[in-house]
Amino acid sequence: MNKFRFTIKLAVIATFLFAIASVAQAQATRTWVSGVGDDVNPCSRTAPCKTFAGAISKTANGGEIDALDPGGFGAVTITKNITIDGTWGGGFGSILASSTNGVTINDSLSGAPNTAVVTLRKLSINGAGGNVSPFMTGLNGVNFISGKSVNIEHCQIFNFTQNGVRVATTAAGISYELHMQDVSIYNSAAGVNASATGGGSFIAAIMDELSIRHANPSSGDGVILGTNAVGVLRNSYISNQDRGVDVAAASLGVSIINCTISACTTGINLAGATSRITHSTITGNPTGVNFAGGTLRSFGDNVYDGNSNNFVGGAISPQTQQ
Protein backbone atom coordinates (compact mmCIF):
# COMPACT_ATOMS: atom_id res chain seq x y z
CA MET A 1 0.00 0.00 0.00
CA ASN A 2 2.82 2.40 0.88
CA LYS A 3 4.51 1.63 -2.42
CA PHE A 4 1.24 2.34 -4.23
CA ARG A 5 0.83 5.69 -2.47
CA PHE A 6 4.43 6.62 -3.27
CA THR A 7 3.81 5.81 -6.93
CA ILE A 8 0.69 8.01 -6.92
CA LYS A 9 2.63 10.90 -5.36
CA LEU A 10 5.34 10.61 -8.00
CA ALA A 11 2.69 10.67 -10.72
CA VAL A 12 1.08 13.79 -9.24
CA ILE A 13 4.44 15.57 -8.97
CA ALA A 14 5.37 14.59 -12.52
CA THR A 15 2.02 15.88 -13.81
CA PHE A 16 2.48 19.17 -11.94
CA LEU A 17 6.00 19.68 -13.31
CA PHE A 18 4.81 18.84 -16.80
CA ALA A 19 2.03 21.41 -16.51
CA ILE A 20 4.50 24.10 -15.42
CA ALA A 21 6.81 23.22 -18.29
CA SER A 22 3.92 23.34 -20.73
CA VAL A 23 2.89 26.81 -19.55
CA ALA A 24 6.47 28.06 -19.80
CA GLN A 25 6.81 26.65 -23.29
CA ALA A 26 3.49 28.28 -24.27
CA GLN A 27 4.85 31.73 -23.51
CA ALA A 28 6.48 33.32 -26.54
CA THR A 29 9.02 36.13 -26.57
CA ARG A 30 6.93 37.97 -29.20
CA THR A 31 3.16 37.78 -29.44
CA TRP A 32 0.63 39.50 -31.68
CA VAL A 33 -2.83 41.06 -31.42
CA SER A 34 -5.27 41.87 -34.21
CA GLY A 35 -8.67 43.47 -34.53
CA VAL A 36 -9.89 40.17 -35.96
CA GLY A 37 -7.96 37.95 -33.52
CA ASP A 38 -9.22 35.68 -30.75
CA ASP A 39 -7.87 35.31 -27.20
CA VAL A 40 -8.12 31.51 -27.44
CA ASN A 41 -5.37 31.66 -30.05
CA PRO A 42 -1.68 31.24 -29.16
CA CYS A 43 -1.08 34.91 -30.12
CA SER A 44 1.29 33.95 -32.93
CA ARG A 45 1.55 36.06 -36.06
CA THR A 46 -0.73 33.71 -37.97
CA ALA A 47 -3.13 33.18 -35.03
CA PRO A 48 -3.15 36.49 -33.11
CA CYS A 49 -5.06 37.33 -29.94
CA LYS A 50 -7.84 39.90 -29.68
CA THR A 51 -6.71 41.92 -26.62
CA PHE A 52 -3.56 42.98 -24.81
CA ALA A 53 -4.93 41.29 -21.68
CA GLY A 54 -5.30 38.03 -23.59
CA ALA A 55 -1.81 38.26 -25.04
CA ILE A 56 0.07 39.20 -21.89
CA SER A 57 -0.39 35.81 -20.21
CA LYS A 58 1.07 34.15 -23.30
CA THR A 59 4.07 36.49 -23.50
CA ALA A 60 7.28 35.61 -21.70
CA ASN A 61 8.86 37.90 -19.12
CA GLY A 62 10.85 40.48 -21.05
CA GLY A 63 8.88 39.81 -24.23
CA GLU A 64 6.91 42.05 -26.59
CA ILE A 65 3.31 42.34 -27.78
CA ASP A 66 2.84 43.88 -31.24
CA ALA A 67 -0.28 44.97 -33.13
CA LEU A 68 -0.75 43.46 -36.58
CA ASP A 69 -3.44 45.93 -37.70
CA PRO A 70 -5.57 48.79 -36.32
CA GLY A 71 -7.83 47.81 -33.45
CA GLY A 72 -9.05 48.48 -29.94
CA PHE A 73 -7.13 46.03 -27.79
CA GLY A 74 -8.54 46.84 -24.36
CA ALA A 75 -7.23 47.96 -20.98
CA VAL A 76 -4.44 45.87 -19.48
CA THR A 77 -2.69 45.24 -16.16
CA ILE A 78 1.05 44.58 -16.41
CA THR A 79 2.88 42.64 -13.70
CA LYS A 80 6.22 41.84 -15.41
CA ASN A 81 8.88 43.13 -17.81
CA ILE A 82 7.18 43.70 -21.15
CA THR A 83 6.92 45.94 -24.21
CA ILE A 84 3.57 46.76 -25.83
CA ASP A 85 3.97 48.26 -29.31
CA GLY A 86 0.96 49.55 -31.25
CA THR A 87 3.22 49.72 -34.36
CA TRP A 88 3.04 52.14 -37.26
CA GLY A 89 3.14 49.43 -39.87
CA GLY A 90 -0.31 47.89 -40.08
CA GLY A 91 -1.92 50.53 -37.90
CA PHE A 92 -2.11 52.33 -34.57
CA GLY A 93 -2.93 50.23 -31.50
CA SER A 94 -5.75 51.64 -29.36
CA ILE A 95 -6.92 51.21 -25.76
CA LEU A 96 -10.41 52.42 -24.88
CA ALA A 97 -10.59 52.75 -21.09
CA SER A 98 -14.09 53.85 -20.16
CA SER A 99 -14.53 54.11 -16.34
CA THR A 100 -11.16 52.45 -15.67
CA ASN A 101 -7.41 52.86 -16.07
CA GLY A 102 -5.93 52.35 -19.51
CA VAL A 103 -2.68 50.65 -18.50
CA THR A 104 -1.97 49.61 -14.91
CA ILE A 105 1.60 48.66 -13.95
CA ASN A 106 1.72 46.75 -10.68
CA ASP A 107 4.26 44.01 -9.94
CA SER A 108 3.76 44.17 -6.15
CA LEU A 109 2.37 40.61 -6.00
CA SER A 110 4.97 39.12 -8.30
CA GLY A 111 7.95 37.14 -7.08
CA ALA A 112 10.18 40.18 -7.62
CA PRO A 113 8.30 43.39 -6.81
CA ASN A 114 9.62 46.79 -7.93
CA THR A 115 11.70 45.27 -10.74
CA ALA A 116 9.37 45.39 -13.78
CA VAL A 117 10.59 47.46 -16.73
CA VAL A 118 7.68 48.36 -19.02
CA THR A 119 7.71 50.06 -22.42
CA LEU A 120 4.52 51.46 -24.02
CA ARG A 121 5.04 52.55 -27.61
CA LYS A 122 2.81 53.93 -30.39
CA LEU A 123 -0.48 53.64 -28.52
CA SER A 124 -3.67 55.67 -28.44
CA ILE A 125 -5.08 55.51 -24.89
CA ASN A 126 -8.60 56.98 -24.74
CA GLY A 127 -10.68 57.40 -21.59
CA ALA A 128 -13.86 58.43 -23.40
CA GLY A 129 -17.26 57.13 -22.41
CA GLY A 130 -20.74 58.17 -21.35
CA ASN A 131 -23.38 60.30 -23.01
CA VAL A 132 -22.92 63.53 -21.07
CA SER A 133 -20.34 66.18 -21.95
CA PRO A 134 -17.34 66.16 -21.53
CA PHE A 135 -17.68 62.44 -22.49
CA MET A 136 -14.75 61.34 -20.35
CA THR A 137 -15.02 58.57 -17.75
CA GLY A 138 -11.57 56.95 -17.78
CA LEU A 139 -9.51 57.29 -14.59
CA ASN A 140 -5.79 57.34 -15.47
CA GLY A 141 -4.27 56.72 -18.88
CA VAL A 142 -1.21 55.03 -17.38
CA ASN A 143 -1.30 54.14 -13.67
CA PHE A 144 2.15 53.12 -12.34
CA ILE A 145 1.75 51.60 -8.86
CA SER A 146 4.71 49.25 -8.54
CA GLY A 147 7.62 48.42 -10.83
CA LYS A 148 11.09 49.70 -11.60
CA SER A 149 10.60 51.94 -14.62
CA VAL A 150 8.15 52.77 -17.38
CA ASN A 151 8.99 54.13 -20.84
CA ILE A 152 6.18 55.86 -22.75
CA GLU A 153 7.08 56.65 -26.35
CA HIS A 154 5.12 58.13 -29.29
CA CYS A 155 1.73 57.86 -27.55
CA GLN A 156 -1.52 59.84 -27.38
CA ILE A 157 -3.33 59.90 -24.03
CA PHE A 158 -6.64 61.74 -23.68
CA ASN A 159 -10.07 61.96 -22.01
CA PHE A 160 -9.14 60.95 -18.45
CA THR A 161 -10.80 62.29 -15.32
CA GLN A 162 -7.70 62.00 -13.10
CA ASN A 163 -4.32 61.93 -14.86
CA GLY A 164 -2.87 61.14 -18.23
CA VAL A 165 0.10 59.50 -16.50
CA ARG A 166 0.11 58.79 -12.76
CA VAL A 167 3.08 57.48 -10.78
CA ALA A 168 2.13 56.86 -7.14
CA THR A 169 4.55 54.41 -5.54
CA THR A 170 4.74 53.61 -1.84
CA ALA A 171 7.56 51.05 -1.37
CA ALA A 172 10.60 52.21 0.61
CA GLY A 173 14.17 52.47 -0.62
CA ILE A 174 13.48 52.23 -4.37
CA SER A 175 14.67 54.53 -7.17
CA TYR A 176 11.91 54.63 -9.79
CA GLU A 177 12.12 55.96 -13.33
CA LEU A 178 9.58 57.52 -15.70
CA HIS A 179 10.78 58.20 -19.24
CA MET A 180 8.47 59.91 -21.74
CA GLN A 181 9.24 60.94 -25.31
CA ASP A 182 6.92 62.37 -27.97
CA VAL A 183 3.75 62.02 -25.89
CA SER A 184 0.56 64.07 -26.34
CA ILE A 185 -1.81 64.41 -23.36
CA TYR A 186 -5.01 66.43 -23.66
CA ASN A 187 -8.58 66.79 -22.46
CA SER A 188 -7.70 65.21 -19.12
CA ALA A 189 -7.86 66.56 -15.57
CA ALA A 190 -4.06 66.51 -15.22
CA GLY A 191 -1.16 65.58 -17.43
CA VAL A 192 1.72 63.90 -15.55
CA ASN A 193 1.54 63.37 -11.78
CA ALA A 194 4.54 61.72 -10.09
CA SER A 195 5.35 60.95 -6.45
CA ALA A 196 7.20 58.32 -4.41
CA THR A 197 6.08 58.37 -0.80
CA GLY A 198 8.04 55.39 0.53
CA GLY A 199 10.88 56.28 2.89
CA GLY A 200 14.17 56.64 1.05
CA SER A 201 12.52 56.35 -2.38
CA PHE A 202 12.42 58.82 -5.25
CA ILE A 203 11.07 59.03 -8.79
CA ALA A 204 13.09 60.54 -11.64
CA ALA A 205 10.77 61.79 -14.39
CA ILE A 206 12.56 62.46 -17.69
CA MET A 207 10.11 64.08 -20.13
CA ASP A 208 11.04 65.06 -23.69
CA GLU A 209 8.78 66.41 -26.47
CA LEU A 210 5.57 66.48 -24.46
CA SER A 211 2.44 68.30 -25.56
CA ILE A 212 0.04 68.81 -22.64
CA ARG A 213 -3.00 70.94 -23.33
CA HIS A 214 -6.63 71.65 -22.59
CA ALA A 215 -7.16 70.42 -19.04
CA ASN A 216 -10.71 69.22 -18.50
CA PRO A 217 -11.82 70.50 -16.03
CA SER A 218 -9.69 73.63 -16.22
CA SER A 219 -8.36 73.07 -12.68
CA GLY A 220 -5.98 70.33 -13.85
CA ASP A 221 -2.20 70.83 -13.85
CA GLY A 222 0.19 69.97 -16.66
CA VAL A 223 3.11 68.39 -14.79
CA ILE A 224 2.92 67.72 -11.04
CA LEU A 225 6.11 66.76 -9.24
CA GLY A 226 5.05 65.52 -5.82
CA THR A 227 6.84 63.89 -2.89
CA ASN A 228 10.42 62.80 -3.71
CA ALA A 229 9.95 63.49 -7.43
CA VAL A 230 12.67 65.12 -9.51
CA GLY A 231 12.02 66.05 -13.11
CA VAL A 232 13.59 67.12 -16.38
CA LEU A 233 11.18 68.69 -18.88
CA ARG A 234 12.67 69.33 -22.33
CA ASN A 235 11.41 70.52 -25.71
CA SER A 236 7.81 70.58 -24.51
CA TYR A 237 4.65 72.69 -24.79
CA ILE A 238 2.07 73.11 -22.02
CA SER A 239 -1.08 75.21 -22.41
CA ASN A 240 -4.60 75.71 -21.03
CA GLN A 241 -3.94 74.14 -17.64
CA ASP A 242 -4.38 75.52 -14.13
CA ARG A 243 -0.66 75.30 -13.32
CA GLY A 244 1.60 74.40 -16.19
CA VAL A 245 4.28 72.94 -13.91
CA ASP A 246 3.60 72.42 -10.21
CA VAL A 247 6.60 71.71 -7.96
CA ALA A 248 5.23 70.52 -4.62
CA ALA A 249 6.78 71.33 -1.25
CA ALA A 250 8.21 67.82 -0.78
CA SER A 251 9.49 67.43 -4.33
CA LEU A 252 13.12 67.48 -5.44
CA GLY A 253 12.71 70.16 -8.14
CA VAL A 254 12.60 70.34 -11.93
CA SER A 255 14.84 71.46 -14.78
CA ILE A 256 12.87 73.14 -17.59
CA ILE A 257 14.80 73.26 -20.87
CA ASN A 258 13.59 74.73 -24.17
CA CYS A 259 9.89 74.71 -23.23
CA THR A 260 6.87 76.97 -23.77
CA ILE A 261 4.22 77.36 -21.07
CA SER A 262 1.27 79.44 -22.18
CA ALA A 263 -2.38 80.23 -21.39
CA CYS A 264 -2.30 78.60 -17.94
CA THR A 265 -3.61 80.24 -14.77
CA THR A 266 -0.06 79.95 -13.40
CA GLY A 267 2.83 79.03 -15.65
CA ILE A 268 5.12 77.59 -12.95
CA ASN A 269 4.16 77.11 -9.31
CA LEU A 270 7.07 76.60 -6.89
CA ALA A 271 6.04 75.34 -3.45
CA GLY A 272 9.41 73.82 -2.61
CA ALA A 273 12.91 72.76 -3.75
CA THR A 274 15.27 74.51 -6.15
CA SER A 275 14.35 74.33 -9.83
CA ARG A 276 16.14 75.58 -12.94
CA ILE A 277 15.01 77.01 -16.27
CA THR A 278 16.83 77.72 -19.53
CA HIS A 279 15.89 78.56 -23.17
CA SER A 280 12.17 78.69 -22.29
CA THR A 281 9.20 81.01 -22.83
CA ILE A 282 6.56 81.72 -20.17
CA THR A 283 3.82 83.79 -21.82
CA GLY A 284 0.12 84.59 -21.79
CA ASN A 285 -0.51 83.47 -18.20
CA PRO A 286 -2.16 85.58 -15.47
CA THR A 287 0.83 84.58 -13.31
CA GLY A 288 4.07 83.60 -14.99
CA VAL A 289 5.94 82.19 -11.98
CA ASN A 290 4.46 81.88 -8.50
CA PHE A 291 6.96 81.59 -5.63
CA ALA A 292 5.22 79.71 -2.83
CA GLY A 293 8.28 78.39 -1.01
CA GLY A 294 10.60 77.26 -3.79
CA THR A 295 13.50 78.80 -5.72
CA LEU A 296 13.93 79.18 -9.50
CA ARG A 297 17.38 79.64 -10.95
CA SER A 298 17.73 81.03 -14.46
CA PHE A 299 20.62 81.27 -16.90
CA GLY A 300 19.19 84.56 -18.20
CA ASP A 301 18.13 83.24 -21.61
CA ASN A 302 14.38 82.88 -20.96
CA VAL A 303 11.41 85.00 -22.04
CA TYR A 304 8.77 86.12 -19.53
CA ASP A 305 6.33 88.23 -21.53
CA GLY A 306 2.60 88.75 -21.94
CA ASN A 307 1.77 87.57 -18.42
CA SER A 308 -0.42 89.74 -16.21
CA ASN A 309 2.29 89.30 -13.57
CA ASN A 310 5.58 87.75 -14.59
CA PHE A 311 6.55 86.94 -10.98
CA VAL A 312 4.46 86.71 -7.82
CA GLY A 313 5.86 86.18 -4.32
CA GLY A 314 9.54 86.27 -5.24
CA ALA A 315 12.10 86.68 -7.99
CA ILE A 316 14.41 84.67 -10.23
CA SER A 317 17.77 83.66 -8.78
CA PRO A 318 20.44 84.30 -11.43
CA GLN A 319 22.66 81.32 -12.18
CA THR A 320 26.10 82.02 -13.66
CA GLN A 321 27.40 79.59 -16.25
CA GLN A 322 30.84 78.25 -15.45
Side-chain angles (χ1 to χ4, degrees):
M1 179 64 72
N2 289 336
K3 184 177 180 180
F4 176 75
R5 289 177 178 173
F6 180 73
T7 303
I8 293 296
K9 287 181 180 179
L10 286 178
V12 170
I13 292 171
T15 302
F16 178 72
L17 293 175
F18 178 78
I20 292 176
S22 298
V23 170
Q25 289 176 357
Q27 290 187 323
T29 302
R30 186 186 302 275
T31 57
W32 303 84
V33 293
S34 168
V36 294
D38 194 318
D39 282 348
V40 302
N41 289 339
C43 303
S44 64
R45 198 177 192 285
T46 55
C49 284
K50 177 73 172 178
T51 67
F52 289 137
I56 199 165
S57 63
K58 300 173 185 177
T59 308
N61 186 38
E64 181 170 328
I65 303 171
D66 292 326
L68 274 173
D69 51 44
F73 302 117
V76 62
T77 296
I78 298 173
T79 60
K80 59 187 175 184
N81 300 290
I82 204 160
T83 295
I84 298 180
D85 195 328
T87 78
W88 283 336
F92 203 59
S94 174
I95 294 173
L96 183 61
S98 178
S99 301
T100 188
N101 298 306
V103 177
T104 299
I105 300 166
N106 186 0
D107 71 351
S108 60
L109 298 180
S110 70
N114 299 300
T115 62
V117 177
V118 175
T119 297
L120 307 173
R121 183 183 299 129
K122 301 168 191 168
L123 296 172
S124 171
I125 305 175
N126 184 356
N131 298 313
V132 179
S133 180
F135 309 107
M136 48 190 284
T137 65
L139 304 179
N140 299 283
V142 178
N143 190 29
F144 180 22
I145 299 170
S146 173
K148 177 62 176 177
S149 67
V150 57
N151 307 292
I152 306 173
E153 305 166 355
H154 315 300
C155 291
Q156 298 176 11
I157 303 172
F158 52 103
N159 293 335
F160 286 93
T161 59
Q162 296 181 18
N163 306 277
V165 176
R166 174 180 180 261
V167 178
T169 62
T170 59
I174 307 294
S175 57
Y176 301 96
E177 298 176 12
L178 168 66
H179 297 269
M180 300 177 65
Q181 183 173 20
D182 184 25
V183 177
S184 178
I185 302 175
Y186 57 93
N187 200 42
S188 296
V192 180
N193 190 348
S195 66
T197 57
S201 291
F202 72 92
I203 170 72
I206 311 302
M207 301 162 284
D208 195 7
E209 297 181 78
L210 266 60
S211 172
I212 302 176
R213 59 196 189 277
H214 299 297
N216 197 344
S218 59
S219 59
D221 297 334
V223 173
I224 304 169
L225 296 175
T227 302
N228 296 325
V230 59
V232 176
L233 182 66
R234 295 184 300 222
N235 307 316
S236 297
Y237 176 73
I238 300 176
S239 70
N240 298 97
Q241 308 289 137
D242 182 15
R243 289 166 287 199
V245 176
D246 184 26
V247 182
S251 78
L252 303 176
V254 64
S255 293
I256 300 172
I257 305 166
N258 195 34
C259 294
T260 297
I261 302 175
S262 177
C264 300
T265 304
T266 300
I268 303 171
N269 184 65
L270 301 165
T274 296
S275 297
R276 293 162 178 83
I277 186 168
T278 183
H279 291 297
S280 295
T281 299
I282 313 299
T283 184
N285 310 284
T287 299
V289 180
N290 181 52
F291 294 89
T295 300
L296 185 63
R297 293 184 177 179
S298 170
F299 290 97
D301 53 5
N302 304 291
V303 175
Y304 307 91
D305 186 52
N307 307 292
S308 300
N309 296 283
N310 286 332
F311 310 108
V312 172
I316 295 291
S317 298
Q319 177 69 27
T320 301
Q321 289 181 315
Q322 301 298 319

